[in-house]
Amino acid sequence: MDETVAEFIKRTILKIPMNELTTILKAWDFLSENQLQTVNFRQRKESVVQHLIHLCEEKRASLNDAALLDIIYTQFHQHQKVWDVFQMSKGPGEDVDLFDMKQFKNSFKKILQRALKNVTVSFRETEENAVWIRIAWGTQYTKPNQYKPTYVVYYSQTPYAFKSSSTLRRNTPLLGQALTIASKHHQIVKMDLRSRYLDSLKAIVFKQYNQTFETHNSTTPLQERSLGLDINMDSRITHENIVEKQRVQRITQETFGDYPQPQLEFAQYKLETKFKSDLNGSILAEREEPLRCLIKFSSPHLLEALKSLAPAGIADAPLSPLLTCIPNKRKNYFKIRDK
């Protein structure tokens, strides 16, 4: 086994938490069950890593084997990446072609390798007709950097791909070209949608966020649900307050639905507007450039936070459509300009 491959595997294993190590190694399926049973996972991690590297050397692990381990680790820790969404489209009158995964892989890899002398591409198919793609970029004069790869998740026979954000932006057009041609589409655009939570992005673009989850009971009629009122509350509470709480809850349910929201961490709004004034001679009125303002809402779970504002009495119901349209518009970057 090459020293660079051994070092690559070593670094990847060191990143894996001990409580996940056996699960990830079994998912990797490179070392046999008998080989894994020879490893004492109760030792110090350095000793475990050395033993695992020795086993990999015996089986002559390749660079692609090491890349697959890295893909599996990334699948377990998707939230450590920031994911952008890309949407592809067919040309006018083009029919939907039957998808061939083997043909897609070969085409994708050839396009990148023709354009770049040094690039390594690895694939791992998963459930739901998805393929994870790992690209380690090099240049005409340097070998691929295995420690700063780009990950792409593509769902076959759909126009959507999810790409991990990368500092190597110069390779984005080439990556888009490879995706478009290999998947038999005509063009590709980056959507104004980004998050650390890949499953939530998938739910938004595939419009799966309005499903009822098994753990969430939505069968109880609204009027039978708790309004959040203390049963020991002063009996003099007015009927109007109860009616208002019912109104807020009804509007909130109509707006957000009766199910968990997709997880996004922020929504960003860029405002561009001309200064308007009836006063002549105003410095701002003579300004040709528009006034610009950027507003960013952040939360570990933004949509659930927005959903809770009106019931908590922090905001009036209904909320602004600019806040509630995020899943339907499939974007959390907005540009607002004068009409």
Side-chain angles (χ1 to χ4, degrees):
M1 183 171 67
D2 189 274
E3 288 184 7
T4 57
V5 175
E7 180 65 19
F8 184 13
I9 294 175
K10 178 182 176 180
R11 289 200 195 185
T12 304
I13 295 175
L14 285 172
K15 291 190 297 184
I16 303 172
M18 283 299 291
N19 62 335
E20 296 177 359
L21 188 53
T22 54
T23 303
I24 290 178
L25 289 174
K26 287 179 180 179
W28 187 27
D29 200 29
F30 177 72
L31 299 174
S32 68
E33 188 71 31
N34 290 336
Q35 286 178 307
L36 291 177
Q37 287 177 359
T38 66
V39 182
N40 180 5
F41 289 97
R42 296 181 180 178
Q43 300 178 89
R44 292 179 58 192
K45 191 166 187 179
E46 290 79 3
S47 300
V48 174
V49 171
Q50 287 179 1
H51 193 163
L52 290 171
I53 294 298
H54 177 69
L55 293 175
C56 291
E57 287 176 342
E58 288 182 347
K59 286 200 70 173
R60 297 182 179 180
S62 66
L63 181 59
N64 190 60
D65 294 321
L68 285 175
L69 178 61
D70 183 62
I71 290 176
I72 294 168
Y73 168 79
T74 305
Q75 289 175 324
F76 273 73
H77 295 272
Q78 302 170 11
H79 61 280
Q80 293 181 353
K81 306 290 181 185
V82 177
W83 299 91
D84 294 311
V85 186
F86 288 80
Q87 183 175 21
M88 295 174 284
S89 59
K90 295 279 187 180
E94 288 184 352
D95 295 327
V96 177
D97 298 303
L98 291 175
F99 185 82
D100 185 314
M101 182 62 78
K102 184 177 180 180
Q103 188 180 46
F104 170 83
K105 290 179 181 179
N106 290 336
S107 176
F108 184 91
K109 196 169 185 176
K110 283 180 182 178
I111 292 167
L112 293 186
Q113 290 178 338
R114 284 173 185 167
L116 285 176
K117 180 181 178 182
N118 292 311
V119 61
T120 57
V121 185
S122 304
F123 302 91
R124 185 171 192 261
E125 295 178 45
T126 63
E127 297 176 359
E128 299 181 334
N129 297 319
V131 57
W132 279 66
I133 310 169
R134 181 186 187 276
I135 308 105
W137 305 97
T139 67
Q140 299 298 331
Y141 310 103
T142 60
K143 292 183 178 180
N145 186 344
Q146 299 297 334
Y147 304 108
K148 290 185 178 180
T150 299
Y151 303 89
V152 176
V153 185
Y154 173 62
Y155 287 82
S156 64
Q157 293 183 302
T158 78
Y160 298 105
F162 307 84
K163 171 186 163 295
S164 63
S165 294
S166 172
T167 54
L168 298 173
R169 295 181 182 178
R170 66 178 182 272
N171 293 320
T172 300
L174 176 60
L175 181 57
Q177 180 185 3
L179 272 172
T180 305
I181 296 174
S183 62
K184 299 181 180 178
H185 284 86
H186 182 69
Q187 64 179 8
I188 185 170
V189 294
K190 181 180 176 183
M191 298 176 66
D192 294 323
L193 182 63
R194 168 184 278 200
S195 175
R196 290 185 179 275
Y197 298 95
L198 192 56
D199 287 341
S200 291
L201 293 175
K202 186 186 76 171
I204 289 173
V205 298
F206 294 144
K207 294 190 178 294
Q208 297 171 336
Y209 54 85
N210 58 351
Q211 60 186 325
T212 301
F213 293 86
E214 292 180 5
T215 57
H216 194 79
N217 181 15
S218 61
T219 59
T220 308
L222 177 63
Q223 60 269 25
E224 295 180 12
R225 296 182 196 155
S226 170
L227 295 175
L229 301 177
D230 188 342
I231 59 173
N232 297 317
M233 186 177 291
D234 193 328
S235 60
R236 292 173 297 177
I237 187 169
T238 63
H239 174 70
E240 286 77 9
N241 279 345
I242 298 177
V243 172
E244 175 61 16
K245 284 182 178 290
Q246 289 176 328
R247 185 190 74 85
V248 169
Q249 189 168 6
R250 175 178 55 78
I251 292 174
T252 300
Q253 183 180 355
E254 290 173 353
T255 304
F256 291 95
D258 195 21
Y259 39 78
Q261 300 296 301
Q263 192 165 357
L264 300 175
E265 310 93 89
F266 68 91
Q268 182 172 295
Y269 300 82
K270 286 185 177 181
L271 172 66
E272 290 187 6
T273 182
K274 287 276 191 175
F275 181 80
K276 298 178 179 65
S277 173
D278 294 332
L279 299 176
N280 294 325
S282 169
I283 296 176
L284 288 177
E286 295 175 358
R287 175 188 169 101
E288 293 185 3
E289 281 289 310
L291 299 174
R292 294 181 175 88
C293 175
L294 188 145
I295 300 172
K296 187 174 183 179
F297 295 89
S298 299
S299 169
H301 203 325
L302 179 65
L303 295 179
E304 285 291 350
L306 293 175
K307 184 178 179 179
S308 68
L309 289 179
I314 299 173
D316 293 332
L319 296 179
S320 166
L322 286 172
L323 296 174
T324 60
C325 73
I326 293 171
N328 287 329
K329 291 283 189 181
R330 295 186 294 186
K331 61 195 297 185
N332 58 349
Y333 283 86
F334 295 85
K335 292 181 180 179
I336 306 169
R337 296 186 175 95
D338 290 332
K339 291 184 180 179

